[in-house]
Amino acid sequence: MAIVLIRFDGGVVPVVRGAIPADPDTPISNPVRTGFKTNRPFMVEEDQYCFGLETSLPHTPLWQIVQAVEGVLAEITFRMKR
């Protein structure tokens, strides 16, 4: 199992995953709820994931790709748009 930590300076919000969008300005279409939340580490199978946030708060980027590797903490950060 691999550990992922998705940080968000806007608080604790649900994490979603899905197919990689065509460009950075396009959100994930048909996002799938993961059951995980931001700012709390969670475990996943080794794989590549495209994660986004389920929130109406304006944030950047809209999505990020993570390569989850066993024994390595994968961290990504989303930021509020100010």
Side-chain angles (χ1 to χ4, degrees):
M1 297 297 282
I3 300 172
V4 176
L5 175 58
I6 299 177
R7 298 184 191 278
F8 179 47
D9 63 0
V12 177
V13 301
V15 174
V16 297
R17 67 177 174 79
I20 300 170
D23 62 73
D25 297 322
T26 303
I28 296 172
S29 62
N30 302 316
V32 176
R33 290 181 176 173
T34 62
F36 304 123
K37 304 249 183 205
T38 56
N39 303 317
R40 300 174 184 164
F42 56 88
M43 294 178 66
V44 294
E45 296 289 329
E46 279 191 312
D47 205 346
Q48 182 177 15
Y49 297 90
C50 180
F51 287 119
L53 306 180
E54 183 178 23
T55 180
S56 60
L57 297 170
H59 61 279
T60 187
L62 293 177
W63 52 270
Q64 291 189 58
I65 298 171
V66 172
Q67 183 65 48
V69 177
E70 185 171 342
V72 178
L73 174 64
E75 295 182 69
I76 57 175
T77 300
F78 292 87
R79 304 237 182 255
M80 291 280 298
K81 283 188 178 180
R82 305 204 192 270

